[in-house]
Amino acid sequence: MAVSIAFDVCSLLIAVSVLSVNIHRKSFDLLQNKVFTGLSLTVIISSAARIVSDFALASPEAFSVGYMRIWSYIALLAECTMFFMFAAYCLSVYDISIFGPQLKNKAVMFAPAAAEMMFLVVAYANDLIFRFNSSSDRVSEAVGTAVMIAFSLYFVIYGIVNCLLFKKTTENKVICSLFTFALLAEIGYVSEFLSPDILSPNLFTAFGLLFIQLLTNRAEDYIDAVTEIPNDRAFRRFFEVNLKTAQYSSVYIIYVENSRLLNLTIGHDKVNEILKKIGLYFEEITDKNVFYIDNGTYAIFPRLTPSSKDIFFGSVNRRFGMPWDVDGADFLISIKILEVKIPRDADSCDKIYAYADYLKSEKITSGQLQYASHAELKDNSRTLIVENCIKKAIENDGFCMYYQPIYSVKDKKIVSAEALIRLIDPEYGLISPAEFIPIAERNGSIIQIGKCVLKMVFDFMKRHNIETMGLDYIEVNLSVIQCMQKNLADIIMSLAVDNNVNSKNINLEITETAAAERPVMLMHNMQMLVDHEYTFSLDDFGTGYSNISSMVDMPLMIIKFDKSIIDRATETEEGKILIESLAAMVKKMGKKIVAEGIETKEQLDEMEKLGIDYIQGYYFSRPLPENEFIEYVEKFNDLPAAQVVS
Ligand code: C2E
Ligand code: CA
Ligand code: CA
């Protein structure tokens, strides 16, 4: 008996710790968690009741048989409930509530449970399950035992069969833990009747609980490690359930602008701290209905009426009008908000993610509430195809470089070239960099692509001496993300050394977007490279981000006038005035100018009149594969310029 009590104490301790871990850890409010709490409670009650009854059985002189019987039956009642809860838990793993509408025939659960309870009452009155003999030992009765085991088997089999029905969508570890629990619980239960003095059924079930806790009921799987709020997995479940229950008619997607840029500039730790604070703020104002679904993106389900909506978002905007404090430093954060009506705008989680992507795009202005019904979703499947092509190309060296000649007005020769990447997929053919570079910037693969570009260009320069071809340098495009990489300068310099490339033969193009933000890391990289005699061009000048002061502060040798300002110059008088003044200003600053996108002789003449130094465009040549480029340059530079140009 003492052994049996010790087992019960053990099982009580295990079940209590499982329950307290489950209650105290930060978790996401899932049906599964609630049912698991119920399941743990049944094991606790049963263990406690058995401790009392075994204690009484151990000192028969002090306790009456009636007292022993009551506690034995309380323990048994808790065990019966445990099997019932197990079946309910198996269903809750798939968000099926035994009280919900989905379980068409609730009778399948509740009728056997009611029958079992009735049997227990009758058995209690007639000693049908246990009998207490003259020396106050508990002896099992065969018929009652068989009936009780049959009921327990019914619930176990019902639960497991349901799991197997959903097997396709279930991870193996979940099925494995539920099977283990069922097996252990049955072994314990049967052994209780066979050898009531020694074993405790609860110890088996307590271990079963532990198994489920470790393998299936993992709250951490549903919590974002950084923000400590429910993650995309939790969101998917919540959204699916909400589609069925229609509790919330809208979800709001919140995107924290520039979170990636912030990461690169103020560091991950500080950004994470801000994201956590933002998450907490939304938890407070939405009654915890917040999910962190993607980088810098939250989904919230506030309870709003048409009249409270304005007040709610008014106060959100006021909060984001104020700074967020991290370690004594203040950061102003702007957000974009999109209202998505369910199910009108989104009847699946994937649709929500498509809206989240849309929200990140620049079309949306921050602050104001935007509506999904007005959104023009990009063709998501095309993005997936391109992402896949990029992945394949990175793995199989599927990129190649084209070179577009750049003509010098003064020398009447090709004096440099811009390296432009090409992705030719075996299945989808040529994919334009204008399409795949932005996608690569969004998914982060641009860093690897950037390295491939540098390697390919340096390799080309190792094999061909560009100076003997009459070229001064090759221009290489750097993306904004690359510019903010901490070790960009080191990467470039070590690749140059490996390939024996002279830094004077490399000109790096940064875009206006990068220059306008002027992040610390970019300035640091630029300075280091300039110190090693690399030169820089400002690309796409005039495309909207014009920040004249960046031209003053940055060590730029060349300003590349974008095709759009060239085109405007030939179209309107104002356009002409603009380009004239810009050209005069840049020249006064002592910088050189490349005119991009020159397609006609008229445009070329116009540029020459303006005193533009270099010309790039289809008029001379499209970007060419390596061999054709070499052929072109050799031919062009060997002949009297006038013959080739005209
Ligand atoms: P970009 O840097 O402004 O490159 C110039 C683009 O204008 C090239 O497009 C070029 O083919 C095109 N172009 C040149 N002359 C003319 C012309 O006379 N008329 C017209 N209509 N277009 C002309 P491409 O090669 O399709 O590249 C598009 C953009 O993709 C590039 O714009 C650049 O932003 C990006 N990109 C290309 N290669 C790389 C790369 O290696 N790294 C990075 N980060 N971005 C790249
Ligand atoms: Ca460029
Ligand atoms: Ca450009």
Side-chain angles (χ1 to χ4, degrees), residues 498-515:
D498 292 349
N499 292 285
N500 234 346
V501 168
N502 190 336
S503 56
K504 283 186 198 156
N505 295 144
I506 296 287
N507 176 276
L508 299 159
E509 290 190 12
I510 57 164
T511 61
E512 267 213 313
T513 331

Side-chain angles (χ1 to χ4, degrees), residues 107-118:
V108 179
M109 283 291 284
F110 287 104
E116 190 175 15
M117 289 307 120
M118 265 154 47

Side-chain angles (χ1 to χ4, degrees), residues 239 243 251 340-349 351-352 355:
F239 187 83
L243 271 183
V251 51
V340 185
K341 290 251 180 240
I342 321 168
R344 190 195 69 190
D345 301 330
D347 54 5
S348 71
C349 258
K351 220 37 193 296
I352 297 285
Y355 284 121

Side-chain angles (χ1 to χ4, degrees), residues 1 4-5 8 45-60 63-76 79 130 132 136 138 192 196 202:
M1 200 57 64
S4 174
I5 292 182
D8 277 315
I45 295 170
S46 164
S47 304
R50 277 191 59 106
I51 291 171
V52 177
S53 79
D54 285 357
F55 197 71
L57 282 168
S59 359
F63 299 95
S64 69
V65 166
Y67 182 84
M68 296 174 202
R69 183 168 349 108
I70 283 196
W71 283 103
S72 294
Y73 270 87
I74 291 177
L76 203 57
E79 282 161 37
F130 300 126
F132 291 87
S136 291
R138 193 170 57 198
E192 172 179 24
N202 295 314

Side-chain angles (χ1 to χ4, degrees), residues 404 418 420-422 433 453 477 539-540 563 597 599 617-618 623:
Q404 186 174 29
E418 176 172 4
L420 293 157
I421 193 168
R422 293 291 177 263
V453 168
N477 288 283
D539 199 3
D540 301 339
K563 184 175 187 306
E599 294 180 347
Y618 294 171

Side-chain angles (χ1 to χ4, degrees), residues 58-127:
S59 359
E61 61 295 339
F63 299 95
S64 69
V65 166
Y67 182 84
M68 296 174 202
R69 183 168 349 108
I70 283 196
W71 283 103
S72 294
Y73 270 87
I74 291 177
L76 203 57
L77 179 65
E79 282 161 37
C80 301
T81 320
M82 184 268 295
F83 284 106
F84 176 84
M85 290 301 279
F86 171 73
Y89 183 74
C90 289
L91 296 173
S92 74
V93 170
Y94 307 97
D95 288 317
I96 301 172
S97 159
I98 51 169
F99 300 108
Q102 298 101 320
L103 196 72
K104 285 192 193 76
N105 201 352
K106 288 197 191 96
V108 179
M109 283 291 284
F110 287 104
E116 190 175 15
M117 289 307 120
M118 265 154 47
F119 178 73
L120 260 185
V121 173
V122 176
Y124 179 72
N126 301 291
D127 273 347

